[in-house]
Amino acid sequence: MKPFKINALDELCINTIRALSIDAIQKADSGHPGLPLGAAPMAYVLWTQFLKHNPKNPKWYDRDRFILSAGHGSMLLYSLLHLTGYPISMAEIKQFRQWGSITPGHPESELTPGVETTTGPLGQGFANGVGMAMAEAYLAAHFNQPGFKVIDHTTYGIVSDGDLMEGVASEAASLAGHLQLGKLIYLYDDNHMTLSASTHVSFTEDTQKRFDAYGWHTQIITDGNNIKAIAAAILAAKKITDRPSLILIKTIIGYGSPHKQNTYEVHGSPLGVEEVKLTKQALGWPEKPNFYIPKKAASYFHQAIKKGNQAEKKWNTLLTAYTKKFPQLAKELRQLMKGELKKGWNENIPNFPMDEKGLATRDASEKIMQAFSPNLLGFIGGSADLNASTKTALVNAGNFESRKKAAGDLQGTVDGGWNYAGRNIFYGIREHAMGAISNGLATVNGIIPYTATFLIFSDYMRPPMRLAALMQLQVIYVFTHDSIALGEDGPTHQPVEQLANLRAIPHLIVIRPADANETAVAWQVAIETRHQPVALILTRQKVPTIDRKQYAAAKNLRRGAYILSDTPKPKIILIATGSEVSLIMAAKEKLQAKKIPVRVVSMPSWELFALQSKKYRDFVLPPAITKRLAVEAGVSQGWERYIGDEGDMISVENFGASAPGPTNMKKYGFTVENVLARALVILKKGKK
C-alpha cells in the first residue's frame, strides 16, 4: 500500500489545528494535547467537507450535531470553532482553562457557542448523541412530508478508547443498533492509548466485531492521516440509512511529538516548552509566533460561514414553502423550535376528590400523564423495562421503533403504531444510558424527555442527572417505589439514602408529593420548568387524597413547603413529605385531642422552598417555634436545617428489610403512635 500524500493546503489547515491546540494547552500549562494532534485530520475532514452548520447561528434548528465525546481533547473543538468563525475569539483561546473563560477544561454546552453537549465523563457524549439522533428521527417522522424534508440532519461524534470502555456507551450503542439510527456516525480515534497506560493492558477486544454485533455499520481506516480515505468512509456511512456507523480510524496519539507521540504521557499533560518547539519543527511549523494562523488556512476555514449561511437560507426557504402547504404542521414545528408550550396544555389534568383510601401517587401520575400528554407533541420518554410498575406508558401514543423491527413477539407495546413517530421509548434495562440519552434528547428545542424507574436505581442514573443539572436541561425523572414501604423486595430495592443523594445535586428540583393533587401540581411544575431537571418521587402504596376543601390547596406545592393544617399559636410543627404527610395529619388529631396546638407542614420540595423569600420561609417555619418533628422514610441527612437544635426526626438509618410494606413501616417507627410519642418527648424537652 502506497503511503497517502496530502496536498499542501490540507496539510496547512490540519497543522493549524494542531499548533493552535498545543499552544493553548502549553500556555495554560494544563490539558490533553494527544487527541488534538492525532485526531486533527478526521476532525478537519468532517468539519470542512460534511458538517452542515452555521457559525453565525450556532442554534440553527436543522444543523448537524457534532459531539466531542472525548471531551478531554477540548482544544480540538475550540480550535475548530475559532477557525470556522464561531464567536470564540483568540483571546478566549489564550484563556483556555482559566477563570471566566468560555474555553473550559472540558466542553460545556451552556457556556460555549457551538458546543452541543457537556462532555468529559467518558461515554456520556456517546450516549447523548444517540438521544440527538433519536430526536431527529422522531421530529422527521412527525413533520417531514413528500418533497419537504424540514428535519434532515446527522449527528456526528469523535469517540475514544475510553468512551468505548465505559458501560454507558455499551448500553447506548446496543439500543442505537436496535433502533437502526442511520443518521448517527461516530469517528473512533483508535490510538490504543489511555491516560495512564496502553490499552493492551486492559482493552483488547475486537471493537469492530463488537459493534457489528450491536447492529452498527463499521469501517476501518488504517492511516489516521489519510483524509481521502476518511472522507470516503464518511460518505459511505451517510449512505447507510438503517444502521448507525462507527468508523475505526487508526491514529497516533500526540502525532508529531518526537519524544511523546504514541505514549500515554501525551494523553493528559502539556508537551512542555521544548517539546512544543520540537513538535512544530517536526510538523514543518514556525516556532514563533505562538497562536499563528496562516492566512490561507484562515481563509479556507472561513468558507464555513458562507456555506453555513447558504445552507440555513435554503432551509428557511423550504420552511416558508412548507408553511404555506402545511400550515398546521408548520405552526406546531415553530412552537417546538421556540420551546413554547401549547396553550391550554394542562386543561385536562384531573382534580382528585377527597378519598381516605386514596391511590398511589404513581397511579395518580399515570392518570395525569394521559391527560396532558396528547397536548404536548415534544413529550417523549419511557422506562427501564418498568412500564407496568412505574405506570408511565403513554396510551395510544405509539412505540418509538424502526418499522423493520415490527415483527415477532410485541408484548408490552402500546397502540398507536410502530415507527419513529412513536412517543414511548423502550430503553430496556439500561438506566445509565436512559439518563444520558435523555440529555441528548433534551438538547433539542421542544423535546421534553422523561425517564422512569425505581427510586433505588437513581444510583445508576446519577452521572447523567448531574450533567443535566449542569447543562440546565429539562429532563423529567419519574422515580416510583420510593421507600421501605416497597416491602418484600427487600433492602436491595428499598431506597434509603437516595433522596439525600438527589437533593445534593445543585439545580436538580426534587419533588415528593403527598397525594394525588400534589402530584398533579408537581407534573405541571416539571413541564413548566424549562432549564432545570426535575425528579418526581412517587409511591407504590396508596396514600389518602387530602380534603382540599378543609385543608390548604395543593397548588401551594409550587412554593416547596406550605402550611397544610394550622391552629392558633402552635407549640409544635410536624413536617413531612410524600406518604408520611398523611401520617403526621393523623398524629395531629391525637395531639390536638390532648389540647396541644399543632401546625402541619407539607414539604414536597426543598429546592422550591429555598427559592421563596425569607419572609415566606419564616412564615411557614417561624424561628420562634423551635419544637419540630420531621418524618420521612429516608435518611435524616440534611433535615437539620429545618428541625433545628430542639427538633427531632423519624427517619430510616439502615437499609430496610424484606417484609410486607406495612410491617416495615411499623418496625421502623412510621406509625401514628410513634409520631405522637416522639412529639410529646420534644414538647417536654426544656421544661424544668
Side-chain angles (χ1 to χ4, degrees):
M1 183 184 294
K2 292 182 179 180
F4 173 74
K5 191 169 183 180
I6 193 169
N7 73 45
L9 180 59
D10 289 331
E11 185 175 29
L12 182 73
C13 290
I14 291 168
N15 286 338
T16 299
I17 297 171
R18 287 168 166 156
L20 186 59
S21 297
I22 62 174
D23 277 342
I25 292 167
Q26 192 57 48
K27 183 177 185 299
D29 196 23
S30 177
H32 298 69
L35 185 145
L37 286 169
M42 70 176 80
Y44 167 72
V45 171
L46 178 60
W47 276 66
T48 59
Q49 295 186 39
F50 293 97
L51 195 67
K52 181 180 71 173
H53 64 120
N54 186 359
K56 296 304 179 185
N57 184 11
K59 293 297 185 181
W60 169 33
Y61 203 70
D62 199 43
R63 68 193 181 277
D64 287 343
R65 270 62 172 179
F66 172 76
I67 300 161
L68 183 65
S69 188
H72 54 271
S74 57
M75 261 317 303
L76 172 67
L77 179 53
Y78 301 146
S79 294
L80 291 165
L81 291 170
H82 173 75
L83 291 167
T84 55
Y86 284 78
I88 313 294
S89 68
M90 180 58 78
E92 291 292 348
I93 296 293
K94 292 179 179 179
Q95 286 300 300
F96 176 56
R97 290 191 163 217
Q98 304 307 302
W99 178 269
S101 76
I102 62 170
T103 50
H106 293 81
E108 297 181 33
S109 60
E110 72 288 356
L111 189 63
T112 312
V115 173
E116 299 288 357
T117 184
T118 297
T119 56
L122 291 171
Q124 293 293 327
F126 185 110
N128 294 166
V130 175
M132 293 177 191
M134 289 168 67
E136 193 277 343
Y138 175 71
L139 293 172
H142 274 282
F143 292 110
N144 288 355
Q145 299 294 321
F148 291 89
K149 283 191 174 183
V150 289
I151 303 295
D152 185 19
H153 57 263
T154 302
T155 299
Y156 297 99
I158 290 180
V159 303
S160 65
D161 290 301
D163 286 299
L164 300 193
M165 285 190 226
E166 288 286 1
V168 65
S170 299
E171 291 181 21
S174 174
L175 184 60
H178 166 78
L179 293 173
Q180 300 181 322
L181 298 173
K183 289 188 175 179
L184 180 65
I185 300 173
Y186 284 158
L187 312 181
Y188 170 23
D189 180 25
D190 189 5
N191 60 38
H192 298 292
M193 205 65 62
T194 58
L195 181 69
S196 63
S198 158
T199 58
H200 290 89
V201 302
S202 62
F203 187 57
T204 53
E205 66 196 37
D206 189 324
T207 310
Q208 184 181 27
K209 287 183 179 178
R210 173 181 154 201
F211 275 77
D212 286 341
Y214 284 147
W216 287 55
H217 171 252
T218 62
Q219 303 171 79
I220 293 180
I221 305 298
T222 57
D223 179 2
N225 288 314
N226 189 335
I227 60 174
K228 184 177 180 180
I230 293 170
I234 296 173
L235 188 61
K238 287 181 68 66
K239 292 178 180 178
I240 302 298
T241 60
D242 61 351
R243 282 177 288 168
S245 289
L246 183 73
I247 304 172
L248 299 87
I249 304 174
K250 305 294 183 180
T251 61
I252 297 173
I253 191 171
Y255 179 85
S257 172
H259 301 107
K260 294 188 177 182
Q261 70 174 16
N262 207 30
T263 71
Y264 70 80
E265 295 175 42
V266 78
H267 183 288
S269 300
L271 294 175
V273 173
E274 185 60 25
E275 192 69 11
V276 167
K277 176 181 174 182
L278 295 174
T279 301
K280 288 181 177 179
Q281 289 175 1
L283 295 173
W285 199 258
E287 296 174 25
K288 297 292 180 181
N290 290 334
F291 301 98
Y292 170 58
I293 300 176
K295 289 183 179 179
K296 285 186 178 179
S299 177
Y300 187 74
F301 278 116
H302 273 100
Q303 290 181 20
I305 298 173
K306 182 179 179 180
K307 288 165 63 177
N309 280 329
Q310 289 175 340
E312 185 174 359
K313 184 177 179 180
K314 182 179 178 182
W315 182 77
N316 285 333
T317 300
L318 177 67
L319 189 59
T320 299
Y322 178 82
T323 301
K324 290 178 181 178
K325 192 161 186 178
F326 308 101
Q328 185 55 39
L329 283 173
K331 180 182 177 182
E332 292 175 356
L333 177 57
R334 290 181 187 277
Q335 204 164 38
L336 285 178
M337 288 166 58
K338 294 177 182 177
E340 295 176 349
L341 296 176
K342 181 180 179 181
K343 186 177 180 181
W345 70 271
N346 57 350
E347 61 188 9
N348 297 324
I349 290 179
N351 181 49
F352 297 88
M354 187 276 288
D355 184 352
E356 289 186 3
K357 290 185 178 179
L359 69 166
T361 52
R362 67 166 176 169
D363 292 324
S365 171
E366 179 181 32
K367 296 177 186 294
I368 295 158
M369 291 176 72
Q370 307 311 327
F372 73 73
S373 59
N375 296 326
L376 292 178
L377 180 62
F379 186 66
I380 175 174
S383 74
D385 194 49
L386 288 169
N387 279 344
S389 296
T390 60
K391 309 294 182 78
T392 46
L394 302 179
V395 177
N396 297 322
N399 309 278
F400 184 88
E401 296 280 353
S402 167
R403 289 182 186 275
K404 295 181 180 180
K405 294 287 185 178
D409 188 348
L410 303 183
Q411 291 184 58
T413 57
V414 300
D415 292 334
W418 181 285
N419 52 54
Y420 291 140
R423 294 166 64 186
N424 289 287
I425 301 172
F426 294 87
Y427 282 106
I429 305 165
R430 303 182 181 100
E431 287 91 351
H432 197 169
M434 178 171 68
I437 289 169
S438 294
N439 286 351
L441 285 162
T443 65
V444 179
N445 267 15
I447 300 295
I448 304 175
Y450 71 90
T451 70
T453 186
F454 295 169
L455 178 56
I456 190 71
F457 300 129
S458 62
D459 289 350
Y460 286 178
M461 292 179 60
R462 198 176 189 283
M465 292 179 74
R466 181 181 189 273
L467 287 170
L470 177 61
M471 285 190 271
Q472 302 171 22
L473 296 176
Q474 183 180 21
V475 183
I476 300 171
Y477 310 104
V478 179
F479 293 120
T480 66
H481 297 60
D482 70 342
S483 73
I484 58 170
L486 168 58
E488 292 87 348
D489 277 345
T492 61
H493 281 54
Q494 291 168 9
V496 174
E497 75 279 17
Q498 280 66 32
L499 273 170
N501 287 342
L502 296 182
R503 287 169 176 155
I505 300 175
H507 310 304
L508 170 66
I509 296 175
V510 181
I511 308 177
R512 189 173 183 237
D515 71 347
N517 287 309
E518 276 198 7
T519 305
V521 180
W523 262 113
Q524 292 178 75
V525 169
I527 295 295
E528 293 164 3
T529 301
R530 307 301 289 167
H531 302 292
Q532 281 180 271
V534 175
L536 303 179
I537 315 299
L538 307 176
T539 69
R540 184 185 74 159
Q541 77 276 21
K542 291 182 178 181
V543 293
T545 304
I546 297 167
D547 184 356
R548 297 295 172 171
K549 294 179 180 178
Q550 183 178 356
Y551 300 108
K555 66 181 181 182
N556 288 294
L557 173 139
R558 292 179 177 276
R559 308 192 79 170
Y562 64 99
I563 301 169
L564 180 60
S565 171
D566 208 8
T567 53
K569 298 181 179 180
K571 299 231 176 186
I572 188 170
I573 301 176
L574 303 181
I575 315 168
T577 74
S579 54
E580 288 75 73
V581 170
S582 60
L583 184 60
I584 64 172
M585 287 288 281
K588 173 208 71 168
E589 300 295 335
K590 299 281 188 181
L591 285 165
Q592 290 187 169
K594 294 179 177 291
K595 309 297 184 186
I596 299 171
V598 181
R599 171 173 291 183
V600 173
V601 171
S602 175
M603 185 177 272
S605 175
W606 291 10
E607 295 76 24
L608 294 177
F609 189 54
L611 294 175
Q612 308 308 308
S613 66
K614 185 176 186 301
K615 182 179 179 181
Y616 176 77
R617 286 183 276 120
D618 286 348
F619 166 71
V620 175
L621 299 174
I625 305 178
T626 58
K627 308 293 185 181
R628 303 176 184 180
L629 177 64
V631 184
E632 185 173 69
V635 295
S636 60
Q637 182 178 334
W639 273 101
E640 59 274 2
R641 76 188 68 176
Y642 299 119
I643 61 178
D645 293 338
E646 294 187 50
D648 196 5
M649 171 108 196
I650 297 176
S651 60
V652 180
E653 304 299 333
N654 208 317
F655 287 110
S658 180
T663 301
N664 270 356
M665 295 298 275
K666 181 179 179 180
K667 294 292 185 181
Y668 278 92
F670 293 93
T671 64
V672 175
E673 293 73 23
N674 192 43
V675 174
L676 174 63
R678 295 281 284 271
L680 291 174
V681 170
I682 293 170
L683 288 164
K684 288 177 182 177
K685 283 182 180 180
K687 289 186 178 181
K688 292 183 181 178

